Amino acid sequence: MKNLILTGFMGTGKTTVGRILAKKKNIRLVDVDKEIEKLAGASIAEIFKTKGEAYFRMLETKAIKLVVQEENQIIATGGGAIVNAENLRMLKQSGRVICLRAATKTILSRVMNNDSRPLLNIDDKKSGIENLMNSRLKYYNKADFSIDTDGKEPEEVADAIMTYINADYDTVEVDLGERSYDIKIGAGTIKNIAHELKSLGFNDKVVLITSDCIDGLYAEDMMRRLASEGFDAKKIVVDDGEKSKSLDTANEIITELLELRCERNTPLIALGGGVIGDLTGFVASIYLRGVPFIQVPTTLLADVDSSVGGKTGVNHNYGKNLIGAFYQPKLVLIDINVLSTLPKSEFLNGIAEIIKYGVIHDPYLFKYLDENVSKLLAKDLDALKH
Protein backbone atom coordinates (compact mmCIF):
# COMPACT_ATOMS: atom_id res chain seq x y z
CA MET A 1 0.00 0.00 0.00
CA LYS A 2 0.98 3.63 -0.30
CA ASN A 3 1.03 5.81 2.79
CA LEU A 4 -1.91 6.66 5.02
CA ILE A 5 -1.72 10.26 6.21
CA LEU A 6 -3.54 11.52 9.30
CA THR A 7 -4.11 15.25 9.52
CA GLY A 8 -6.46 17.54 11.42
CA PHE A 9 -6.49 20.07 14.22
CA MET A 10 -4.45 19.64 17.39
CA GLY A 11 -6.05 17.35 19.95
CA THR A 12 -8.06 15.30 17.46
CA GLY A 13 -6.03 12.16 18.21
CA LYS A 14 -3.79 11.82 15.17
CA THR A 15 -0.84 10.24 16.96
CA THR A 16 -2.94 7.97 19.18
CA VAL A 17 -5.06 6.72 16.28
CA GLY A 18 -1.91 6.47 14.18
CA ARG A 19 -0.33 4.07 16.70
CA ILE A 20 -3.41 1.84 16.61
CA LEU A 21 -3.49 1.81 12.80
CA ALA A 22 0.23 1.08 12.61
CA LYS A 23 -0.25 -1.90 14.91
CA LYS A 24 -3.29 -3.16 12.98
CA LYS A 25 -1.44 -2.97 9.67
CA ASN A 26 1.95 -3.96 11.10
CA ILE A 27 3.69 -0.93 9.59
CA ARG A 28 5.54 1.96 11.15
CA LEU A 29 4.13 5.25 12.38
CA VAL A 30 5.97 8.42 11.37
CA ASP A 31 5.19 11.55 13.40
CA VAL A 32 6.12 14.60 11.30
CA ASP A 33 6.58 16.73 14.43
CA LYS A 34 9.15 14.22 15.73
CA GLU A 35 10.97 14.37 12.39
CA ILE A 36 11.05 18.17 12.64
CA GLU A 37 12.57 17.94 16.11
CA LYS A 38 15.25 15.60 14.75
CA LEU A 39 16.11 18.08 11.98
CA ALA A 40 16.27 21.01 14.39
CA GLY A 41 17.81 19.24 17.37
CA ALA A 42 15.20 21.00 19.50
CA SER A 43 11.60 20.60 20.67
CA ILE A 44 8.70 22.17 18.77
CA ALA A 45 8.18 24.64 21.61
CA GLU A 46 11.86 25.67 21.51
CA ILE A 47 11.75 26.10 17.71
CA PHE A 48 8.76 28.45 17.97
CA LYS A 49 10.36 30.37 20.84
CA THR A 50 13.81 30.86 19.32
CA LYS A 51 13.21 30.76 15.56
CA GLY A 52 9.52 31.55 15.09
CA GLU A 53 6.68 29.91 13.19
CA ALA A 54 8.04 30.70 9.69
CA TYR A 55 11.21 28.71 10.44
CA PHE A 56 9.11 25.86 11.86
CA ARG A 57 6.99 25.74 8.68
CA MET A 58 10.13 25.60 6.54
CA LEU A 59 11.36 22.61 8.56
CA GLU A 60 7.90 21.03 8.32
CA THR A 61 8.00 21.08 4.51
CA LYS A 62 11.53 19.69 4.57
CA ALA A 63 10.49 16.88 6.92
CA ILE A 64 7.45 15.97 4.80
CA LYS A 65 9.62 15.90 1.67
CA LEU A 66 11.87 13.34 3.37
CA VAL A 67 9.06 11.29 4.89
CA VAL A 68 7.06 10.79 1.67
CA GLN A 69 10.03 9.19 -0.07
CA GLU A 70 9.05 5.96 1.71
CA GLU A 71 5.84 3.90 1.42
CA ASN A 72 3.87 1.59 3.72
CA GLN A 73 3.73 4.10 6.58
CA ILE A 74 1.17 5.79 8.76
CA ILE A 75 2.11 9.48 8.71
CA ALA A 76 0.75 11.82 11.42
CA THR A 77 1.11 15.49 10.52
CA GLY A 78 0.88 18.64 12.56
CA GLY A 79 -2.41 20.52 12.56
CA GLY A 80 -1.24 23.21 10.15
CA ALA A 81 0.76 21.07 7.73
CA ILE A 82 -1.76 20.91 4.89
CA VAL A 83 -2.35 24.66 4.89
CA ASN A 84 0.81 24.77 2.77
CA ALA A 85 -0.12 23.81 -0.82
CA GLU A 86 3.23 22.10 -1.44
CA ASN A 87 2.83 19.96 1.68
CA LEU A 88 -0.69 18.94 0.65
CA ARG A 89 0.46 18.08 -2.87
CA MET A 90 3.31 15.87 -1.60
CA LEU A 91 1.09 14.12 0.95
CA LYS A 92 -1.71 13.43 -1.55
CA GLN A 93 0.76 12.02 -4.05
CA SER A 94 2.13 9.83 -1.25
CA GLY A 95 -1.19 8.24 -0.27
CA ARG A 96 -4.63 8.91 1.16
CA VAL A 97 -5.09 11.93 3.41
CA ILE A 98 -7.54 11.42 6.29
CA CYS A 99 -8.67 14.33 8.44
CA LEU A 100 -9.61 13.78 12.08
CA ARG A 101 -12.10 16.33 13.38
CA ALA A 102 -13.46 17.31 16.78
CA ALA A 103 -15.59 20.07 18.28
CA THR A 104 -13.95 23.03 20.02
CA LYS A 105 -15.16 21.80 23.42
CA THR A 106 -13.56 18.41 22.86
CA ILE A 107 -10.26 19.86 21.69
CA LEU A 108 -10.16 22.30 24.60
CA SER A 109 -10.61 19.48 27.10
CA ARG A 110 -7.74 17.55 25.49
CA VAL A 111 -5.17 20.36 25.20
CA MET A 112 -6.07 22.74 28.04
CA ASN A 113 -3.19 21.66 30.30
CA ASN A 114 -0.72 20.87 27.53
CA ASP A 115 2.13 23.39 27.53
CA SER A 116 3.71 21.96 24.37
CA ARG A 117 1.23 23.72 22.02
CA PRO A 118 2.96 26.99 21.05
CA LEU A 119 -0.03 28.35 19.14
CA LEU A 120 -2.16 28.11 22.28
CA ASN A 121 0.09 30.17 24.51
CA ILE A 122 -2.72 32.70 24.88
CA ASP A 123 -5.17 33.59 27.66
CA ASP A 124 -8.40 32.86 25.77
CA LYS A 125 -7.70 29.36 24.48
CA LYS A 126 -11.31 28.74 23.40
CA SER A 127 -11.36 31.71 21.04
CA GLY A 128 -7.87 30.83 19.86
CA ILE A 129 -8.94 27.31 18.93
CA GLU A 130 -12.10 28.52 17.17
CA ASN A 131 -10.28 31.18 15.15
CA LEU A 132 -7.43 28.90 14.15
CA MET A 133 -9.76 26.04 13.28
CA ASN A 134 -11.97 28.27 11.11
CA SER A 135 -8.93 29.55 9.23
CA ARG A 136 -7.88 25.98 8.43
CA LEU A 137 -11.27 24.46 7.67
CA LYS A 138 -11.11 24.90 3.89
CA TYR A 139 -7.76 23.07 3.86
CA TYR A 140 -9.05 20.21 6.02
CA ASN A 141 -11.94 19.85 3.56
CA LYS A 142 -9.39 18.90 0.88
CA ALA A 143 -8.64 15.61 2.65
CA ASP A 144 -9.74 12.40 0.92
CA PHE A 145 -11.76 11.32 3.94
CA SER A 146 -12.84 12.85 7.27
CA ILE A 147 -14.07 11.40 10.52
CA ASP A 148 -15.37 13.01 13.72
CA THR A 149 -13.61 11.83 16.87
CA ASP A 150 -16.08 13.40 19.33
CA GLY A 151 -17.35 10.79 21.77
CA LYS A 152 -15.41 8.01 20.06
CA GLU A 153 -12.65 5.86 21.48
CA PRO A 154 -9.40 5.89 19.43
CA GLU A 155 -9.94 2.21 18.58
CA GLU A 156 -13.37 3.03 17.16
CA VAL A 157 -11.89 5.82 15.01
CA ALA A 158 -9.18 3.48 13.77
CA ASP A 159 -11.78 0.85 12.84
CA ALA A 160 -13.76 3.41 10.82
CA ILE A 161 -10.59 4.37 8.96
CA MET A 162 -9.84 0.71 8.27
CA THR A 163 -13.34 0.32 6.79
CA TYR A 164 -12.65 3.28 4.52
CA ILE A 165 -9.26 2.13 3.26
CA ASN A 166 -10.54 -1.42 2.74
CA ALA A 167 -13.31 -0.10 0.50
CA ASP A 168 -10.69 -0.03 -2.26
CA TYR A 169 -11.71 3.15 -4.06
CA ASP A 170 -10.47 4.41 -7.36
CA THR A 171 -10.90 8.15 -7.79
CA VAL A 172 -11.38 10.08 -11.00
CA GLU A 173 -10.92 13.81 -10.50
CA VAL A 174 -13.16 16.02 -12.64
CA ASP A 175 -11.21 19.28 -12.94
CA LEU A 176 -13.65 22.15 -13.40
CA GLY A 177 -12.01 24.80 -11.26
CA GLU A 178 -14.32 25.81 -8.41
CA ARG A 179 -16.90 23.27 -9.65
CA SER A 180 -14.47 20.34 -9.50
CA TYR A 181 -15.55 17.06 -7.93
CA ASP A 182 -14.45 13.45 -7.54
CA ILE A 183 -15.95 10.28 -8.95
CA LYS A 184 -15.21 7.53 -6.43
CA ILE A 185 -15.53 3.97 -7.74
CA GLY A 186 -15.32 0.73 -5.82
CA ALA A 187 -17.11 -2.15 -4.12
CA GLY A 188 -19.01 -1.13 -0.98
CA THR A 189 -18.49 2.61 -1.38
CA ILE A 190 -22.00 3.62 -0.32
CA LYS A 191 -21.36 2.15 3.12
CA ASN A 192 -19.15 5.19 3.66
CA ILE A 193 -21.76 7.75 2.60
CA ALA A 194 -21.81 9.48 6.00
CA HIS A 195 -18.03 9.88 6.10
CA GLU A 196 -18.01 11.09 2.50
CA LEU A 197 -20.53 13.79 3.39
CA LYS A 198 -18.44 14.87 6.36
CA SER A 199 -15.39 14.99 4.12
CA LEU A 200 -17.29 17.55 2.04
CA GLY A 201 -18.05 19.61 5.13
CA PHE A 202 -21.67 18.47 5.71
CA ASN A 203 -22.70 17.26 9.15
CA ASP A 204 -26.33 18.17 9.82
CA LYS A 205 -29.49 17.78 7.75
CA VAL A 206 -29.43 15.74 4.55
CA VAL A 207 -32.22 14.64 2.20
CA LEU A 208 -32.13 11.34 0.33
CA ILE A 209 -34.19 11.21 -2.88
CA THR A 210 -34.88 7.79 -4.35
CA SER A 211 -37.50 5.67 -6.13
CA ASP A 212 -39.87 2.93 -4.95
CA CYS A 213 -37.66 0.12 -6.25
CA ILE A 214 -34.38 1.40 -4.79
CA ASP A 215 -36.02 2.34 -1.50
CA GLY A 216 -36.44 -1.32 -0.56
CA LEU A 217 -32.98 -2.31 -1.75
CA TYR A 218 -30.55 0.33 -0.49
CA ALA A 219 -32.24 3.47 0.86
CA GLU A 220 -33.13 2.17 4.33
CA ASP A 221 -29.60 0.95 4.95
CA MET A 222 -28.21 4.31 3.85
CA MET A 223 -30.63 6.14 6.16
CA ARG A 224 -29.45 4.01 9.12
CA ARG A 225 -25.82 4.75 8.34
CA LEU A 226 -26.48 8.48 8.12
CA ALA A 227 -28.41 8.50 11.40
CA SER A 228 -25.69 6.51 13.18
CA GLU A 229 -23.18 9.24 12.29
CA GLY A 230 -25.37 12.02 13.67
CA PHE A 231 -27.09 13.24 10.49
CA ASP A 232 -30.67 14.46 10.54
CA ALA A 233 -31.56 12.34 7.52
CA LYS A 234 -34.87 12.70 5.66
CA LYS A 235 -36.12 10.67 2.71
CA ILE A 236 -38.28 11.49 -0.30
CA VAL A 237 -39.50 8.57 -2.44
CA VAL A 238 -40.92 9.04 -5.94
CA ASP A 239 -42.55 6.60 -8.33
CA ASP A 240 -40.35 4.42 -10.51
CA GLY A 241 -39.98 5.22 -14.16
CA GLU A 242 -39.71 8.06 -16.65
CA LYS A 243 -43.07 9.53 -15.64
CA SER A 244 -41.46 10.92 -12.47
CA LYS A 245 -39.03 13.00 -14.51
CA SER A 246 -41.42 15.94 -14.71
CA LEU A 247 -42.02 19.46 -13.48
CA ASP A 248 -44.92 18.15 -11.38
CA THR A 249 -42.65 15.74 -9.49
CA ALA A 250 -39.95 18.41 -9.16
CA ASN A 251 -42.54 20.74 -7.63
CA GLU A 252 -43.67 18.04 -5.17
CA ILE A 253 -40.05 17.51 -4.05
CA ILE A 254 -39.49 21.26 -3.66
CA THR A 255 -42.63 21.50 -1.51
CA GLU A 256 -41.31 18.74 0.76
CA LEU A 257 -37.91 20.44 1.00
CA LEU A 258 -39.60 23.68 2.05
CA GLU A 259 -41.71 21.85 4.63
CA LEU A 260 -38.53 20.25 5.98
CA ARG A 261 -36.98 23.75 6.19
CA CYS A 262 -34.00 22.73 4.09
CA GLU A 263 -31.47 25.50 3.63
CA ARG A 264 -28.75 26.27 1.09
CA ASN A 265 -26.25 24.05 2.88
CA THR A 266 -28.60 21.02 2.94
CA PRO A 267 -27.24 18.43 0.51
CA LEU A 268 -29.53 16.27 -1.60
CA ILE A 269 -28.48 12.68 -2.33
CA ALA A 270 -29.69 11.16 -5.58
CA LEU A 271 -29.89 7.39 -5.00
CA GLY A 272 -31.09 5.66 -8.14
CA GLY A 273 -30.79 5.47 -11.89
CA GLY A 274 -30.77 8.20 -14.49
CA VAL A 275 -34.28 9.44 -13.74
CA ILE A 276 -33.51 10.03 -10.06
CA GLY A 277 -30.11 11.58 -10.84
CA ASP A 278 -31.50 13.98 -13.45
CA LEU A 279 -34.52 14.90 -11.32
CA THR A 280 -32.58 15.43 -8.09
CA GLY A 281 -29.88 17.42 -9.85
CA PHE A 282 -32.49 19.66 -11.47
CA VAL A 283 -34.22 20.28 -8.15
CA ALA A 284 -30.84 21.02 -6.54
CA SER A 285 -30.06 23.55 -9.27
CA ILE A 286 -33.24 25.59 -8.69
CA TYR A 287 -34.14 25.12 -5.01
CA LEU A 288 -33.09 28.31 -3.15
CA ARG A 289 -31.12 29.15 -6.34
CA GLY A 290 -28.90 26.13 -5.87
CA VAL A 291 -28.10 23.60 -3.14
CA PRO A 292 -25.37 20.90 -3.13
CA PHE A 293 -26.14 17.41 -4.34
CA ILE A 294 -24.41 14.05 -4.48
CA GLN A 295 -24.93 11.41 -7.15
CA VAL A 296 -25.14 7.78 -5.99
CA PRO A 297 -26.10 5.97 -9.21
CA THR A 298 -27.51 2.44 -9.04
CA THR A 299 -27.47 1.43 -12.72
CA LEU A 300 -24.50 0.89 -15.00
CA LEU A 301 -25.92 3.38 -17.50
CA ALA A 302 -26.18 6.04 -14.81
CA ASP A 303 -22.65 5.17 -13.61
CA VAL A 304 -21.10 5.95 -16.98
CA ASP A 305 -23.50 8.54 -18.36
CA SER A 306 -26.13 10.55 -16.51
CA SER A 307 -24.35 10.83 -13.14
CA VAL A 308 -21.30 12.43 -14.76
CA GLY A 309 -21.03 15.87 -16.32
CA GLY A 310 -23.71 17.81 -14.49
CA LYS A 311 -26.55 17.14 -16.94
CA THR A 312 -29.80 17.61 -15.04
CA GLY A 313 -33.37 18.06 -16.18
CA VAL A 314 -36.93 16.91 -16.61
CA ASN A 315 -39.08 16.03 -19.59
CA HIS A 316 -41.81 18.00 -21.38
CA ASN A 317 -44.71 16.83 -23.50
CA TYR A 318 -42.72 18.00 -26.53
CA GLY A 319 -39.69 15.84 -25.68
CA LYS A 320 -37.10 14.52 -23.23
CA ASN A 321 -34.75 16.74 -21.22
CA LEU A 322 -36.10 19.99 -22.68
CA ILE A 323 -36.10 21.66 -19.25
CA GLY A 324 -32.92 21.56 -17.20
CA ALA A 325 -29.52 22.95 -16.30
CA PHE A 326 -25.88 21.98 -16.29
CA TYR A 327 -25.25 21.78 -12.54
CA GLN A 328 -22.31 19.80 -11.18
CA PRO A 329 -22.58 17.45 -8.20
CA LYS A 330 -20.25 17.70 -5.22
CA LEU A 331 -19.42 13.99 -5.53
CA VAL A 332 -20.30 10.93 -7.58
CA LEU A 333 -20.14 7.78 -5.46
CA ILE A 334 -20.25 4.62 -7.59
CA ASP A 335 -20.69 1.30 -5.81
CA ILE A 336 -20.26 -1.59 -8.23
CA ASN A 337 -21.79 -4.00 -5.69
CA VAL A 338 -25.26 -2.58 -6.37
CA LEU A 339 -25.07 -3.80 -9.97
CA SER A 340 -25.70 -7.31 -8.64
CA THR A 341 -29.42 -6.48 -8.34
CA LEU A 342 -29.66 -4.91 -11.80
CA PRO A 343 -31.85 -6.75 -14.35
CA LYS A 344 -29.90 -8.15 -17.30
CA SER A 345 -31.55 -5.83 -19.83
CA GLU A 346 -30.63 -2.74 -17.78
CA PHE A 347 -27.09 -4.00 -17.32
CA LEU A 348 -26.71 -4.52 -21.09
CA ASN A 349 -27.94 -0.96 -21.70
CA GLY A 350 -24.94 0.24 -19.72
CA ILE A 351 -22.54 -2.08 -21.54
CA ALA A 352 -23.83 -0.78 -24.88
CA GLU A 353 -23.15 2.80 -23.80
CA ILE A 354 -19.58 1.90 -22.82
CA ILE A 355 -19.01 0.15 -26.15
CA LYS A 356 -20.06 3.39 -27.87
CA TYR A 357 -17.31 5.26 -25.99
CA GLY A 358 -14.76 2.78 -27.24
CA VAL A 359 -15.97 3.08 -30.85
CA ILE A 360 -16.13 6.87 -30.77
CA HIS A 361 -12.99 7.77 -28.88
CA ASP A 362 -10.92 5.04 -27.20
CA PRO A 363 -9.59 2.00 -29.10
CA TYR A 364 -7.85 0.73 -25.94
CA LEU A 365 -11.17 0.66 -24.09
CA PHE A 366 -12.78 -1.11 -27.05
CA LYS A 367 -10.00 -3.71 -27.03
CA TYR A 368 -10.43 -4.23 -23.27
CA LEU A 369 -14.17 -4.77 -23.71
CA ASP A 370 -13.58 -7.26 -26.52
CA GLU A 371 -11.06 -9.24 -24.47
CA ASN A 372 -13.06 -9.20 -21.23
CA VAL A 373 -16.65 -9.55 -22.40
CA SER A 374 -17.18 -12.79 -20.44
CA LYS A 375 -15.98 -11.22 -17.19
CA LEU A 376 -18.16 -8.16 -17.72
CA LEU A 377 -21.28 -10.19 -18.43
CA ALA A 378 -20.53 -12.23 -15.30
CA LYS A 379 -20.29 -8.91 -13.39
CA ASP A 380 -16.72 -9.57 -12.32
CA LEU A 381 -15.96 -6.76 -9.84
CA ASP A 382 -12.43 -6.03 -11.05
CA ALA A 383 -13.55 -5.83 -14.67
CA LEU A 384 -16.49 -3.59 -13.79
CA LYS A 385 -14.28 -1.31 -11.72
CA HIS A 386 -11.79 -0.99 -14.58
Side-chain angles (χ1 to χ4, degrees), residues 1-4 22 25-30 67-75 94-95:
M1 88 167 211
K2 297 181 78 175
N3 295 318
L4 190 64
K25 298 190 70 64
N26 194 28
I27 57 178
R28 71 176 187 138
L29 169 67
V30 179
V67 166
V68 298
Q69 291 177 14
E70 302 291 332
E71 292 189 350
N72 295 310
Q73 308 170 108
I74 307 294
I75 301 173
S94 166

Side-chain angles (χ1 to χ4, degrees), residues 53 60 139 176 178 206 215 237 276 315 355 365:
E53 184 176 358
E60 185 173 56
Y139 303 102
L176 298 172
E178 292 184 354
V206 59
D215 185 26
V237 182
I276 292 297
N315 301 331
I355 292 171
L365 172 61

